[in-house]
Amino acid sequence: ALVEKGRSYYAKVCVACHGVDGRGTASMPRLAGQHPGYVLASLNHFKQRDGVRSSPQMEMVVSQMTEADMRAVAAYVAALP
């Protein structure tokens, strides 16, 4: 259920920049196969704007995400090959 929720959120929000397969581009990082804890921590750094991770685009995206959304997306991208 968590991965499925993440798939749905990813398809609506993340896919435009990170690609259908989560492999990113030259200017966007690969998410596919990343450890879910790493992805979740990164999303939290963007949300908290603590200076550890900085990106105006990501800060805007995560400002709309709940903790449950972030956990679901992290689980989904971790499951990608």
Side-chain angles (χ1 to χ4, degrees), residues 49-62:
R49 298 182 182 193
D50 59 11
V52 174
R53 300 294 301 257
S54 180
S55 163
Q57 297 96 336
M58 283 302 300
E59 289 167 7
M60 185 177 63
V61 169
V62 297

Side-chain angles (χ1 to χ4, degrees), residues 2-3 7-8 23 26-27 31 37 40 42-44 49 57-58 60-61 64 72-73 79-81:
L2 187 63
V3 170
R7 178 190 331 266
S8 175
R23 293 186 182 165
S27 61
L31 299 177
L40 183 58
S42 295
L43 292 172
N44 275 307
R49 298 182 182 193
Q57 297 96 336
M58 283 302 300
M60 185 177 63
V61 169
Q64 305 299 312
V73 168
L80 292 173

Side-chain angles (χ1 to χ4, degrees), residues 12-23:
K12 292 177 196 167
V13 179
C14 313
V15 70
C17 295
H18 291 282
V20 174
D21 58 8
R23 293 186 182 165

